[in-house]
Amino acid sequence: MTKQLQSQWFLRGVLPACGSLVLCSLLLFSLSWAAARSDAVAVLRQRDLVTLTIAKLKAGIAHDQESATVWDDAVRNARAGNIEWIDANLGSWMHSYFGHDAALVLTSDLAPLYQFSADSDYAPTPGDLRGAYLPLAETLQGRLVAGDADGTNEKILSIGETDLSYVGFRPAIVSVKPIVSDTGDVEQTAGSEMLHVVVRFLDGDLPTVIGKEYAFSELQFSATRPRDRSLAFVPLKDRDGEIFGYFEWKPFRPGHHVLEATTPALILAFVALFAGSSLAGGAIWRRTERLAASRAELSHQACHDALTGLANRSHFNDELNRRLQEALDDERHTVLFVDLDRFKAVNDTFGHPIGDKLISLAAERMRDLLPEALIARIGGDEFTVLLQKDYALQVEKLADALVQGLKVPFEIETAHIVIGASIGVAIARGPCDPAELTRQADIALYHAKAAGRNTYAIFGDHMDELLRKRRALESDLRSAVVSGSQIETFYQPVYSASNGRICSLEALARWKHHTLGYISPDEFIPLAEEMGLIREIGSLVLEDACRTLAELPDITVAVNASARELEAPGYALRVLTTLARWNLSPDRLEIEMTESATIDNCGELGRTISTLRTAGVRFAIDDFGTGYSSFSRVQKVEVDRIKIDKSFIDDMHRSDSRALVIAMIDMARAKGLKITAEGVETTEQREALESLGCDDLQGFLMSRPLPREAAIAYVSAATSEAQIVSAV
Ligand code: C2E
Ligand code: CA
Ligand code: CA
């Protein structure tokens, strides 16, 4: 069972059940205690009542006797031995009127004169009766002789003896009374009185009669102490104080009854309590779950990148610090810096939603390739990877797999997007400073990029030296741009395909380093873009181009402009001001921009292009065919020319490349755009392009880029030669 399920089960089941059980148990305990107390009191009262009833019964029997024994007629008839009379008044009458079980009349020498027994099935034997009454009769006779009248009053007319006694094996109340004159008219000497004995069995109908009268359930006599704990009892003691037997009964327990009556209510209360607390427990659990979920969500957000779901920079750094601190001496930790190539172009070309989608898909690919690594997104198109220590030995294989994996085209909506990745790798052996490891991975990344991108580089000490060189180059470039003296402009002629004449020059920047000589723009232009110096270089080249234009009135000049320059506010004004300063017509200038810069005619770039084109400046898409969805984009962008990229011209001997060139030319024609083919190196290429209807050609076959003076001389010579040819 999961921990979550356990706590839900606890809150919804165990806790409510225990709580309800404890509460109900307390209630039950209190009720039971109160019930037991009230039952105990009730039983005590019942015992008192039974004891009192027996005492009253004993007195009552003696009292019953007196209704017939204190009577002149009784004395006379007993003396006369009138059995019939005795039976009617002192025998069976006693039974039918008072319910006595047996009656005897004894002569003064204690011999039975008359004996009556109600129970015909079991009549006590004279011997049994004698054993029971004799001690009482003797005592009574003694008292009579002694003239004892103690206890007699208005209610008790004669003295008597009563006791509990066994008649045979049957328990009974035995009462002996003298038969005496009620008027005193019949003479009697003390001790000569005849005696009347009655017996009331305790095991007969007597308990039932008492039970009915006083509401005792199942009242009965027991000779031994009752063992059944549910029964109440009182001991019956004879006149000597000896326990004679017990009366037992099923006691009325009011508390018990109350408890029985309240039990269903208690069960209901338990169910209601359980249901209520379970509901409350459920609510608490849900709330806790929600809180826990939002806490988890918050801590996830704090550690993760929202777009890709990968870790973010701070989480990555924390984890890296932790692992490097805990690293054992022989343990290896590997960090990869991954930078997507050409991502900015995708973002500029397709817009941010597609760019975001691309980043997500690239992140997904990386996760699939390295499921166990910690991958973080630390910038727009920058990722860091921390490999599990066991993978350090396979790092080359893994880095290569990443490079290959990210090279595979992404299909987003209808676009087919090819990017790539450069990866820098740094490996720590044992504990290491995370900042140093990060620095090394960064340097390695720079090397991977410098090596032509779409590759990986593993940090080595030699790289530090290269980095130092780059820093030096950066510093040199800054001072070169500031002084302006080392940035030169070369010019490469562009020829008309129809007549082979020079129609234009492309201005290309050169950096003449004081110790390293000429440095290629492919190397320093990206550096200048990164350092924010491209605007200054653009201005220097534009100034030089205008100066050249002023000297060569018959041709036009093209300058290259990076997207960053074009997007910067004030570019159009700067261009037009420079042209005006040199007194040049704007239609003699063409601006070449790479395809990735050609986004829709909106925003700053759109306004710049439209302002300049309105003034007469022409625009060309450089390196046409290498960007994204060239054909669809050219529909939207206002340009005058396309420059087919050198890579297509190089491959023109291949039919697919040739077909592409034909398609580009057809499209440009349809749009009314001029076409230049760049990088023409062979006569085959030139002839093919001429026959396909390309407008202008540029390439080493005709001319390399030339320093300014050489270019001016070259163009001047070529134009005058053409003039001579045309004059001839
Ligand atoms: P790009 O605009 O495509 O310029 C043409 C490049 O192709 C030039 O290289 C040129 O020398 C080279 N090229 C021309 N014909 C041939 C040929 O037949 N074979 C070969 N192999 N190469 C040929 P370069 O001068 O090294 O310029 C490289 C890139 O640097 C340019 O490519 C352009 O994108 C950039 N660049 C140069 N100057 C500037 C500038 O002033 N501003 C900006 N933003 N970028 C510049
Ligand atoms: Ca160009
Ligand atoms: Ca080009």
Side-chain angles (χ1 to χ4, degrees):
M1 208 190 285
T2 65
K3 216 170 171 177
Q4 226 182 8
L5 261 176
Q6 274 179 353
S7 57
Q8 182 181 8
W9 171 237
F10 179 76
L11 270 172
R12 296 183 119 170
V14 178
L15 192 63
C18 291
S20 318
L21 210 65
V22 166
L23 270 177
C24 289
S25 303
L26 271 175
L27 201 66
L28 194 69
F29 176 77
S30 316
L31 275 173
S32 307
W33 183 80
R37 289 278 307 156
S38 100
D39 286 351
V41 172
V43 167
L44 273 178
R45 276 186 55 102
Q46 289 165 45
R47 286 167 76 169
D48 289 348
L49 190 61
V50 170
T51 311
L52 185 74
T53 307
I54 303 237
K56 275 177 76 178
L57 193 69
K58 276 156 70 179
I61 287 172
H63 188 69
D64 295 345
Q65 280 176 287
E66 283 181 346
S67 63
T69 56
V70 183
W71 189 13
D72 292 352
D73 284 1
V75 179
R76 285 192 200 104
N77 281 296
R79 276 187 189 161
N82 188 349
I83 297 301
E84 205 175 322
W85 190 95
I86 292 170
D87 182 56
N89 294 284
L90 296 170
S92 58
W93 183 82
M94 286 283 172
H95 167 70
S96 53
Y97 202 78
F98 298 116
H100 298 166
D101 296 301
L104 287 110
V105 175
L106 304 178
T107 60
S108 56
D109 50 0
L110 307 181
L113 171 71
Y114 166 81
Q115 182 177 334
F116 165 80
S117 182
D119 192 346
S120 51
D121 291 340
Y122 171 70
T125 63
D128 291 343
L129 283 167
R130 190 178 166 77
Y133 66 70
L134 199 58
L136 300 175
E138 281 170 353
T139 309
L140 180 64
Q141 212 164 40
R143 285 178 67 199
L144 285 167
V145 172
D148 182 6
D150 194 26
T152 56
N153 53 41
E154 276 167 27
K155 283 187 181 164
I156 299 169
L157 305 174
S158 60
I159 58 168
E161 291 292 331
T162 309
D163 199 5
L164 300 171
S165 176
Y166 276 94
V167 179
F169 57 87
R170 295 190 68 183
I173 298 170
V174 180
S175 178
V176 186
K177 280 272 181 184
I179 301 171
V180 292
S181 164
D182 56 334
T183 58
D185 291 352
V186 184
E187 199 125 331
Q188 284 179 295
T189 47
S192 70
E193 296 92 342
M194 295 182 85
L195 302 179
H196 183 248
V197 179
V198 292
V199 173
R200 189 80 170 96
F201 290 122
L202 297 176
D203 61 348
D205 66 338
L206 184 69
T208 320
V209 173
I210 300 172
K212 266 194 188 141
E213 194 172 345
Y214 295 99
F216 287 110
S217 172
E218 296 173 31
L219 183 74
Q220 62 184 18
F221 178 83
S222 163
T224 53
R225 188 186 168 99
R227 293 252 169 92
D228 187 347
R229 295 179 68 88
S230 69
L231 297 177
F233 62 91
V234 281
L236 305 176
K237 290 182 180 165
D238 62 19
R239 46 202 273 145
D240 301 327
E242 300 287 325
I243 291 181
F244 167 77
Y246 301 86
F247 254 155
E248 60 174 34
W249 70 98
K250 210 171 190 164
F252 171 59
R253 295 182 195 271
H256 189 77
H257 285 286
V258 170
L259 205 62
E260 264 180 10
T262 47
T263 302
L266 207 66
I267 291 170
L268 269 179
F270 172 78
V271 171
L273 251 168
F274 175 76
S277 46
S278 173
L279 278 175
I284 291 170
W285 183 79
R286 278 193 300 279
R287 197 163 160 64
T288 316
E289 277 298 288
R290 273 204 299 275
L291 274 173
S294 73
R295 263 195 58 202
E297 173 69 23
L298 276 178
S299 72
H300 186 270
Q301 275 175 15
C303 297
H304 290 81
D305 166 52
L307 177 65
T308 57
L310 295 175
N312 61 16
R313 185 192 289 270
S314 82
H315 180 51
F316 183 87
N317 287 343
D318 289 349
E319 191 59 23
L320 182 66
N321 285 359
R322 192 184 63 75
R323 288 206 210 162
L324 289 179
Q325 262 171 22
E326 292 170 3
L328 303 174
D329 285 340
D330 58 341
E331 241 172 41
R332 285 169 177 236
H333 288 277
T334 311
V335 167
L336 275 65
F337 271 26
V338 182
D339 193 293
L340 300 185
D341 297 332
R342 312 192 338 158
F343 172 70
K344 189 177 178 322
V346 175
N347 233 357
D348 290 346
T349 313
F350 295 104
H352 291 291
I354 299 267
D356 284 354
K357 184 88 192 145
L358 179 71
I359 289 288
S360 307
L361 290 176
E364 214 172 284
R365 260 188 214 175
M366 290 170 68
R367 231 186 332 231
D368 289 348
L369 286 165
L370 302 172
E372 285 172 61
L374 173 67
I375 308 177
R377 179 174 174 233
I378 58 162
D381 59 349
E382 294 162 359
F383 299 85
T384 47
V385 179
L386 177 57
L387 288 185
Q388 296 287 93
K389 49 185 182 246
D390 321 338
Y391 289 98
L393 296 173
Q394 314 168 28
V395 65
E396 293 185 20
K397 221 173 86 190
L398 293 176
D400 190 53
L402 268 185
V403 168
Q404 299 311 324
L406 291 167
K407 235 192 223 175
V408 178
F410 291 89
E411 307 290 339
I412 304 173
E413 292 174 11
T414 52
H416 181 80
I417 299 175
V418 186
I419 53 164
S422 304
I423 300 176
V425 184
I427 302 169
R429 289 162 185 85
C432 154
D433 175 15
E436 174 58 17
L437 193 65
T438 311
R439 189 188 71 86
Q440 292 178 357
D442 201 20
I443 294 170
L445 175 63
Y446 166 72
H447 278 270
K449 282 184 184 172
R453 299 174 184 258
N454 252 325
T455 185
Y456 68 90
I458 298 177
F459 179 82
D461 290 337
H462 65 287
M463 287 186 181
D464 267 339
E465 176 57 19
L466 289 170
L467 186 74
R468 202 194 50 72
K469 279 191 182 155
R470 180 187 148 103
R471 296 270 179 270
L473 204 66
E474 278 176 6
S475 141
D476 289 351
L477 181 62
R478 195 176 296 281
S479 37
V481 170
V482 170
S483 74
S485 59
Q486 291 175 33
I487 304 296
E488 292 180 15
T489 310
F490 274 40
Y491 294 89
Q492 186 177 27
V494 179
Y495 302 82
S496 166
S498 57
N499 56 22
R501 286 186 196 151
I502 297 175
C503 53
S504 161
L505 291 176
E506 180 179 2
L508 294 160
R510 294 286 179 270
W511 176 15
K512 195 175 180 187
H513 192 271
H514 53 91
T515 52
L516 301 171
Y518 281 114
I519 296 175
S520 155
D522 280 331
E523 223 175 294
F524 74 86
I525 294 287
L527 201 64
E529 282 181 341
E530 270 177 44
M531 293 169 67
L533 294 173
I534 192 66
R535 198 169 152 269
E536 284 73 10
I537 293 178
S539 294
L540 289 171
V541 173
L542 180 66
E543 186 70 22
D544 201 273
C546 288
R547 195 150 57 97
T548 308
L549 272 177
E551 285 187 40
L552 296 170
D554 299 322
I555 56 154
T556 59
V557 166
V559 294
N560 294 282
S562 327
R564 285 199 184 187
E565 273 181 280
L566 289 167
E567 279 164 0
Y571 179 77
L573 187 67
R574 188 151 47 91
V575 171
L576 295 176
T577 316
T578 315
L579 285 168
R581 209 162 6 89
W582 288 95
N583 208 11
L584 295 168
S585 164
D587 62 6
R588 293 188 62 209
L589 181 71
E590 193 164 272
I591 296 173
E592 296 183 5
M593 54 187 181
T594 47
E595 211 180 325
S596 61
T598 58
I599 59 159
D600 301 42
N601 276 2
C602 58
E604 195 60 43
L605 183 80
R607 274 194 295 281
T608 302
I609 295 175
S610 130
T611 310
L612 289 170
R613 286 191 81 234
T614 312
V617 178
R618 281 165 296 130
F619 274 83
I621 299 179
D622 209 350
D623 304 339
F624 190 82
T626 57
Y628 300 97
S629 57
S630 314
F631 292 83
S632 65
R633 299 210 67 77
V634 88
Q635 312 288 331
K636 298 179 189 163
V637 184
E638 303 267 321
V639 288
D640 306 275
R641 181 188 294 274
I642 60 165
K643 291 187 80 173
I644 300 174
D645 189 65
K646 180 177 180 300
S647 56
F648 297 98
I649 311 300
D650 287 345
D651 290 349
M652 261 186 53
H653 55 276
R654 276 173 43 196
S655 61
D656 53 344
S657 256
R658 195 185 171 85
L660 266 172
V661 172
I662 294 169
M664 288 182 214
I665 293 173
D666 287 349
M667 187 275 304
R669 285 258 165 282
K671 282 279 292 172
L673 304 177
K674 294 271 184 204
I675 307 137
T676 302
E678 64 180 13
V680 181
E681 289 182 342
T682 64
T683 41
E684 290 79 34
Q685 287 168 353
R686 186 179 66 192
E687 281 161 11
L689 289 160
E690 280 169 0
S691 69
L692 287 173
C694 206
D695 296 301
D696 301 320
L697 304 172
Q698 179 184 7
F700 289 179
L701 178 67
M702 288 77 74
S703 172
R704 287 183 173 260
L706 304 165
R708 183 173 176 273
E709 300 309 327
I712 291 173
Y714 182 76
V715 174
S716 304
T719 33
S720 54
E721 191 181 308
Q723 274 164 3
I724 293 163
V725 171
S726 64
V728 172

